Amino acid sequence: MTTPTTTGPPPRELRDFYENPAVPVASGTPRSLRQARMLARALNGPATASPQTILDIGCGDGTAAATAAPLLPGHRVIGVDWSQDALRRARTRIPYAVRGELTGGGLPFASGSADAVLFSEVIEHLVDPDAALDEIRRILRPGGHLMLSTPNLAAWYNRGLLLAGVQPVFSEVSLRGIHGRPGKEVVGHLRLYTARALREFVAASGFTVERLEGAPFHGVPRPLRPLDRLACARPQLASILLLHARRT
């Protein structure tokens, strides 16, 4: 998971939580690869033959950007995060990583200066996702690409867990421990989306949704991983939602 601290300084208890080096700041490689391939397909048309500027907002330790870079030759990938700890790690993987905030003073980029934004496993951490998408829309050129990924509240196993009265995977009720759901790591999720809710939210924020795909989750128990991969064929059931949208 990438850190959500690109949004600007959160309340102190959240800020301290996200600056803890033990908090995961990397997305799983399979979903990063799928997302990078979606972006590569979008940028490989004749209208995008020139080098493009791609911002990985909420870059965490730089894993997603480093995974995407080989699939995007000739384009410039820049990591952006609020967390100084995450940026130190990102700079060991990618050539450009800068500090930036989605709210408050805004990102350190001019309006319309970015051709594409990677937004991997960030939106579920945000206190104010509306302001975050407003800022992303500001820095994207008209027609620019947004590649967003986030856990799916309605993943196939979460539907069964809710029927059994169990807290869904990805949802959290505390920053101090896991209560009422499977899993061992606290990662600070504040908001969760279904496929339908994500489509509607992104469209309402001034984007045209082009495509929605599913990706597997590395935390699924090994015996269930083949089923999790099969669920990717139907994004509404997949563990992770991968959305491609364009700025209107």
Side-chain angles (χ1 to χ4, degrees):
M1 306 292 178
T2 53
T3 53
T5 47
T6 50
T7 57
R12 174 165 297 277
E13 63 274 15
L14 285 175
R15 184 168 69 246
D16 292 345
F17 174 81
Y18 292 130
E19 286 287 10
N20 181 352
V23 174
V25 291
S27 298
T29 299
R31 81 193 74 159
S32 296
L33 271 173
R34 287 179 184 230
Q35 190 176 44
R37 288 172 184 145
M38 289 174 70
L39 179 56
R41 288 195 299 268
L43 294 181
N44 278 341
T48 54
S50 59
Q52 306 285 290
T53 297
I54 302 159
L55 304 181
D56 182 5
I57 298 178
C59 66
D61 67 359
T63 299
T67 300
L71 301 178
L72 303 165
H75 302 307
R76 182 172 62 160
V77 181
I78 302 171
V80 186
D81 210 294
W82 181 85
S83 167
Q84 296 288 10
D85 178 70
L87 288 172
R88 280 192 292 270
R89 288 185 263 178
R91 288 171 182 144
T92 67
R93 294 181 169 90
I94 53 178
Y96 307 105
V98 300
R99 191 174 188 274
E101 303 175 5
L102 279 168
T103 57
L107 293 166
F109 302 98
S111 298
S113 60
D115 299 291
V117 165
L118 288 171
F119 203 42
S120 306
E121 316 296 306
V122 178
I123 198 168
E124 64 269 18
H125 299 267
L126 302 183
V127 174
D128 189 354
D130 302 274
L133 285 196
D134 287 347
E135 180 65 0
I136 289 173
R137 189 175 185 277
R138 180 189 70 80
I139 62 168
L140 275 174
R141 62 168 173 80
H145 303 275
L146 169 63
M147 297 290 174
L148 184 156
S149 68
T150 191
N152 182 9
L153 174 61
W156 60 275
Y157 40 80
N158 278 346
R159 297 176 185 227
L161 290 173
L162 277 170
L163 285 173
V166 177
Q167 187 84 8
V169 175
F170 309 125
S171 66
E172 296 184 326
V173 298
S174 171
L175 292 178
R176 299 177 182 177
I178 299 297
H179 304 290
R181 71 158 174 87
K184 297 179 180 178
E185 289 182 326
V186 179
V187 293
H189 289 176
L190 303 179
R191 299 182 182 274
L192 290 174
Y193 299 80
T194 63
R196 178 176 178 177
L198 186 65
R199 277 181 175 275
E200 291 184 4
F201 172 62
V202 172
S205 300
F207 295 84
T208 299
V209 176
E210 298 282 337
R211 188 175 182 86
L212 185 69
E213 296 185 7
F217 174 47
H218 64 273
V220 169
R222 189 174 298 275
L224 297 178
R225 289 180 187 176
L227 194 56
D228 194 42
R229 289 192 293 270
L230 282 174
C232 293
R234 295 191 64 189
Q236 311 95 295
L237 299 176
S239 287
I240 305 296
L241 301 171
L242 304 178
L243 181 139
H244 172 206
R246 301 192 73 166
R247 182 191 184 276
T248 53

